[in-house]
Amino acid sequence: MKTLNFLVIGKNQEILETLKRIIENNDGWKAEIQSDETVCQDYIKENEVDIVLLSSGLDEEFENEIKTFCENISKDVKVIDHYGGGSGLLKNEVYTLFPNLQP
């Protein structure tokens, strides 16, 4: 089973911690959370990241910048704009990107 590694970026620490719990409640899914945009590109370069999950509180300029960075990096990093909707929505967003992982 492939492990999916998430980098969850947002400004609300409580939401970030909730997303981490929801993500890690799935077998083989691991999450790191980050509220400091200035370290995100280096984190992605230096760590195995499959999905960058954009949460609330980020400005549009940063969102566009990190999406462009993920599209142009030599790794295959997917980006999900996630602004709520519960764990079912999050799973559907992930399985849309990785259909072969769907149970």
Side-chain angles (χ1 to χ4, degrees), residues 4-101:
L4 279 183
N5 296 294
F6 291 74
L7 175 61
V8 184
I9 309 169
K11 289 299 186 180
N12 184 306
Q13 193 64 31
E14 189 174 317
I15 292 173
L16 292 176
E17 290 170 10
T18 299
L19 286 168
K20 181 176 175 67
R21 278 193 310 275
I22 289 170
I23 290 166
E24 292 185 344
N25 198 34
N26 294 280
D27 289 337
W29 293 15
K30 295 187 175 200
E32 292 295 325
I33 57 177
Q34 187 55 254
S35 59
D36 181 356
E37 298 105 325
T38 64
V39 300
C40 292
Q41 289 185 14
D42 286 337
Y43 182 89
I44 294 166
K45 286 180 199 174
E46 297 167 8
N47 296 277
E48 187 174 334
V49 176
D50 299 298
I51 297 174
V52 171
L53 188 78
L54 302 177
S55 185
S56 61
L58 302 170
D59 66 42
E60 186 177 350
E61 181 179 339
F62 171 75
E63 287 186 9
N64 291 332
E65 180 182 302
I66 200 72
K67 287 175 185 177
T68 300
F69 175 79
C70 290
E71 288 173 2
N72 294 318
I73 193 167
S74 59
K75 303 178 190 182
D76 186 21
V77 179
K78 310 287 189 200
V79 179
I80 296 175
D81 293 305
H82 182 78
Y83 303 109
S87 61
L89 176 61
L90 178 58
K91 284 182 183 180
N92 285 335
E93 291 169 333
V94 171
Y95 291 141
T96 297
L97 296 174
F98 296 94
N100 59 323
L101 298 179

